[in-house]
């Protein structure tokens, strides 16, 4: 038979694994029902605009650097 301490140890490990699994995989089933009709929020619009702006700026910088310092064959 297992001792009381061994049983408590097993139970505490199970509780910790349940807590870890809840932290890693939270229950999100009810999250989609409360969402809007698919419209973007203002923060999302700003982040997308910022990302596209940074991409265009870096592409322009790459074209300019490539024009000023062409690759040698």
């Amino acid at each position: 038979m297992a001792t009381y301490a061994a049983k408590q140890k097993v139970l505490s490990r199970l509780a910790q694994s349940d807590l870890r699994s809840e932290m890693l995989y939270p229950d999100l089933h009810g999250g989609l029902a409360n969402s809007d009709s698919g419209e973007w929020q203002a923060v999302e619009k700003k982040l997308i605009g910022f990302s596209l702006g940074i991409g265009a700026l870096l592409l322009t910088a790459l074209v300019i650097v490539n024009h000023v310092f062409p690759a040698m064959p």
Side-chain angles (χ1 to χ4, degrees):
M1 280 202 192
T3 63
Y4 178 76
K7 287 181 183 179
Q8 288 298 96
K9 189 174 183 180
V10 169
L11 289 176
S12 69
R13 283 187 184 165
L14 289 175
Q16 287 178 354
S17 67
D18 288 343
L19 179 63
R20 286 184 190 146
S21 66
E22 179 64 29
M23 289 171 59
L24 290 173
Y25 307 107
D27 185 21
L28 299 176
H29 294 289
L32 294 177
N34 298 334
S35 66
D36 296 334
S37 63
E39 296 177 12
W40 288 348
Q41 295 179 356
V43 174
E44 293 172 330
K45 291 179 184 178
K46 288 179 185 177
L47 285 173
I48 290 170
F50 185 73
S51 298
L52 290 174
I54 291 285
L57 181 72
L58 290 174
L59 183 61
T60 304
L62 179 65
V63 168
I64 291 171
V65 167
N66 192 23
H67 184 69
V68 172
F69 302 108
M72 298 298 252

